Amino acid sequence: MQRLFKPKFFTLFKRGFTRKQIIADSLAGVVVGVLALPLAIAFAVASGVSPERGLITAIVAGFLISFLGGSRVQIGGPTGAFIVIVYGIVENYGIDGLIISTVMAGFMLVGFGLLKLGSLLKYFPHPLIVGFTSGIALVIFSTQVKDALGLDIEKVPSAFGQKLLTYFEQIHTVNWYAIAVTLATIIITIYSQKIFKKIPGAFLAILLCTLAVQLFQLPVTNIASFFGEIPNSFNFSIPHVEWADLGNYVVPAMTIALLGGIESLLSAVVADGMIGGKHRSNTELIAQGVANIVTPFFGGIPATGAIARTATNVKNGGRTPIAGIVHAVTLLLIMLFLGKWAKLIPMSALAGVLIVVSYNMSEWRSFKAILKNSFFDSIILLTTFVLTVWVDLTVAIQVGVVLSALLFMKRMADMSDKNIDNPVDRDVLEDYSLVPKYINIYEISGPLFFASARRYAEIIEDLGMKSKILIIRMRHVPFVDLTGIKNFKDTIESLRDENTRIILSGVQPNVLEEFKKHNILKLINEKDIFNSFEDALTYAKTIEIKTK
């Protein structure tokens, strides 16, 4: 248990925090707390719950995830990915149903961590993740059309098609003042960062647009129109549970757990790349689970690691969990002393913030790149995307995973009849003891695809950091998929930053073609790619290495 659950905060606490780092983390935490304010409110409102539930989630879950988590810089709280799920659960089962589902999901996440499933969640292929992320982004955008245009609609249907039809039927009720506020929010959110680098654009946009609406008395709806006063306190409460109905919540809970686990680990991986660290995936899952068990009893909604807020934390100097803890404290102080003013925030301003969030989530560049390249990856991407938008996220993930496995098996079957050995490499020197110490050698034995890509990348990076030259033998790599390409490219970029020379040998023609297509040959010189290992080793020995 001790090895499974080792929070970064306690590890760093034992080493001691410097005064300089505490100050830097505290300032970063305040900035992230200010950024999280409009996002927490917007995510809650879009999910069909009252705004204070978003704030409570960011405070309670944000504190627990930083205090108990396996990442140095992870910022936890409500995220856009949960909007679709929470909205559906509330609509079908009510608030009590949401609380029960979230608590169950928390126990599932703790179970994932205890069973050491943190590494397994990394095996979700990249096209599947892009597919459901892009689908969620489109659904979030569709939920904000009503408030962005100021349409007079009492209740927006949950189904995507019915939603579009309702908007079309009510387009004559458009409010031009609401459109102006929405556009102003979007413009300020995007472009204010060029002028005010330390003030989050979303916060500045909400502040200015709220002031403008109040000053000019613009006829647009605000939070108070729908939810009344925002409480400046929260209480512990236990939901009413019908034990016979617990089975109804298993599927929603599993969806929350899977999405929360995937998103939190993705966020932690992104953070690792930004700070050069390494998170503890199983500890992170357990922390996410504890946060989702505790938070609902205070009135919160599902929480996970937030990629945008985590990146903001890092960019502003956050390097330890202190930043995340300060972020939670900052939000608590805002809720206690300034929460009463939040009811004046226009709904169209929140819509503008969420439209920017949905655009940033859309990953349209990755979406476009996948469609241009692999046929199999395109099938996974489009299937997951369409099911997310038109059916629901649970079905999309289930079908996407099964489809990924089936297509992989087909690709492996297609390759089984081919001779993947490179004849030129058969008689090369196999005694690596004669190789100079500044040269390291690693052989990838098998396809570079989503299930193996991360492990290969970790080993290659580890070896590369210990050597001046790394020869990577690829004679037994029959194919690469997009996830393999992405991990391999990230690893090469990381080693280049460490001035490690990469040499490839025995690259199959189809693999080399994929490398060219995805610009890996811009990172590795073509003269550093050889058909045989013998030629690669001879060349490596001729490279002049400067040593101290």
Side-chain angles (χ1 to χ4, degrees), residues 115-124 265:
L115 293 172
K116 300 182 181 181
L117 299 183
S119 56
L120 291 181
L121 292 179
K122 299 175 186 176
Y123 293 159
F124 278 68
L265 294 183

Side-chain angles (χ1 to χ4, degrees), residues 73-141:
V73 292
Q74 181 89 284
I75 300 295
T79 66
F82 279 128
I83 288 175
V84 183
I85 300 170
V86 173
Y87 190 90
I89 295 173
V90 171
E91 193 172 59
N92 293 319
Y93 304 108
I95 290 295
D96 280 354
L98 175 64
I99 293 172
I100 296 166
S101 298
T102 306
V103 172
M104 288 175 66
F107 281 109
M108 289 178 184
L109 282 166
V110 171
F112 291 166
L114 294 177
L115 293 172
K116 300 182 181 181
L117 299 183
S119 56
L120 291 181
L121 292 179
K122 299 175 186 176
Y123 293 159
F124 278 68
H126 185 60
L128 186 149
I129 293 171
V130 172
F132 75 66
T133 303
S134 300
I136 290 169
L138 180 57
V139 173
I140 291 173
F141 175 80

Side-chain angles (χ1 to χ4, degrees), residues 411-412 415-416 418-421 444-448 474-480 508-512:
R411 292 170 82 172
M412 290 301 294
M415 294 302 302
S416 63
K418 298 181 182 179
N419 180 10
I420 62 172
D421 287 326
I444 300 176
S445 301
L448 193 59
M474 305 190 72
R475 57 180 176 166
H476 295 308
V477 180
F479 73 85
V480 293
Q508 302 285 342
N510 61 309
V511 174
L512 187 61

